[in-house]
Amino acid sequence: MNKRYTLKNGYSFSRIINGGWQLSEGHALKSEIERKDVVKAFHELVARGFTTFDCADIYTGVEEFYGSFLKEHLAAGGHREDLQFHSKFVPDRAGLSELKPKNIREIIHRTLKRLGVDQVDMIQFHWWEYDIPGYLEALFELQKMQKEGKISQVSLTNFDTIRTKEIVEAGILIASMQAQYSLFDRRVEKGMQEYCKENDIALLCYGTLAGGFLTDQWIGKNEPDELDNRSLVKYRIIIDDFGGWSTYQELLILLKKLSSRYSCQIANICSAYILQKDAVGAVIIGTRNSRHIEGNSATLDLRLELEDVKAIDAFLADKPGPQGEPFELERNENGPHVKVMLRNLNQNK
């Protein structure tokens, strides 16, 4: 499997992107991040070709952390163009109706300052409430900043297919769509995937390992009373949508059989399965320490045979998973998913 994905406009990124949500302050509920070990992992990942890093303006401390890593990379003789930094612009839910061009520019310039760059490689734009107007105007402002050289690629995250079409038809060029996509959650297949394929919009997929639930360590485990971080809290709800804990354990048993055949780990099977899907440019895998580096290389060395893809598909066929369009359930004020969302994280930053 190729290590990189290149859009028609020539922009290239790693097929496994180093994720930053797990590094943000407030993500870990019980354990702390060993930042020196994470930096060690970053250097090793870059040396192996995994040069793309994902973060967001609302991931507290992560843009600054990446900026510090970039300084180390440059001091060691590296070059700015060696690395790609994808951040997000996530205006607060409470301030959507008051968002002005100057607010957008302030936040993007803050991202540039935190990263220590003149141009951010990608800004992925999110909008909490479609009923509140302003997302098109915000994207036009981002497009202006792109023409000014402050942003290389303008992208979206967690939009549905209808609004994505609206945005593209308004004349805004979208490089990618970051969306949740895993064996548990196949909402992108409702229409988003086909639209992205037709319009050269790369799917950048998060949640592919469900915060760690789709790994060997959970085989045969009882349902936990407590969870260590916000990722696990989020994806525990997804497991309920998928069919519950016993159905999840059945899936792990199937995946373990397949991973044994390929001499790899369950995580490699799950990531390779998604990477082989139409329009998928990359999966985003969180990096919390240096122990997981080998897994990235193993995933890209893997090509699942058609019969094994079909075996997974057959198991998933009668498992509901989350319903609706991407991020639709997370917008439902009366549902369980929205309770995990922190929607005003840019306040006072």
Side-chain angles (χ1 to χ4, degrees), residues 22 64 116 136 173 186 211 225 227 282 289:
Q22 294 183 356
E64 295 93 331
L136 279 176
L173 296 177
R186 303 176 309 278
D225 294 323
L227 295 166
N289 55 57

Side-chain angles (χ1 to χ4, degrees), residues 287-307:
T287 303
R288 294 189 67 199
N289 55 57
S290 60
R291 295 192 300 274
H292 301 138
I293 295 171
E294 296 295 338
N296 285 9
S297 297
T299 293
L300 294 186
D301 289 339
L302 182 60
R303 181 78 187 179
L304 297 178
E305 299 292 338
L306 181 59
E307 64 182 271

Side-chain angles (χ1 to χ4, degrees), residues 3-4 13-16 44-52 84 300:
K3 279 192 173 184
R4 301 192 72 79
F13 50 85
S14 309
R15 296 217 69 195
I16 296 180
E44 181 62 25
L45 286 164
V46 169
R48 297 190 184 203
F50 301 103
T51 62
T52 309
Q84 302 81 50
L300 294 186

Side-chain angles (χ1 to χ4, degrees), residues 217-322:
Q217 72 182 74
W218 286 97
I219 293 178
K221 295 291 181 66
N222 293 326
E223 191 171 348
D225 294 323
E226 290 185 281
L227 295 166
D228 289 344
N229 58 60
R230 286 179 57 212
S231 288
L232 293 175
V233 173
K234 170 185 172 65
Y235 294 110
R236 178 64 190 85
I237 300 171
I238 298 289
I239 289 174
D240 285 337
D241 292 332
F242 180 71
W245 195 261
S246 61
T247 304
Y248 157 54
Q249 287 294 318
E250 291 174 20
L251 174 62
L252 289 182
I253 291 170
L254 168 63
L255 294 173
K256 185 60 181 177
K257 290 179 181 177
L258 293 177
S259 67
S260 295
R261 284 186 52 194
Y262 287 93
S263 300
C264 66
Q265 300 291 310
I266 285 175
N268 304 128
I269 299 291
C270 294
S271 296
Y273 175 88
I274 297 299
L275 283 168
Q276 289 178 211
K277 293 292 186 178
D278 286 344
V280 171
V283 295
I284 301 167
I285 305 295
T287 303
R288 294 189 67 199
N289 55 57
S290 60
R291 295 192 300 274
H292 301 138
I293 295 171
E294 296 295 338
N296 285 9
S297 297
T299 293
L300 294 186
D301 289 339
L302 182 60
R303 181 78 187 179
L304 297 178
E305 299 292 338
L306 181 59
E307 64 182 271
D308 295 322
V309 173
K310 287 182 175 180
I312 295 172
D313 289 342
F315 182 88
L316 299 178
D318 63 348
K319 310 302 184 296

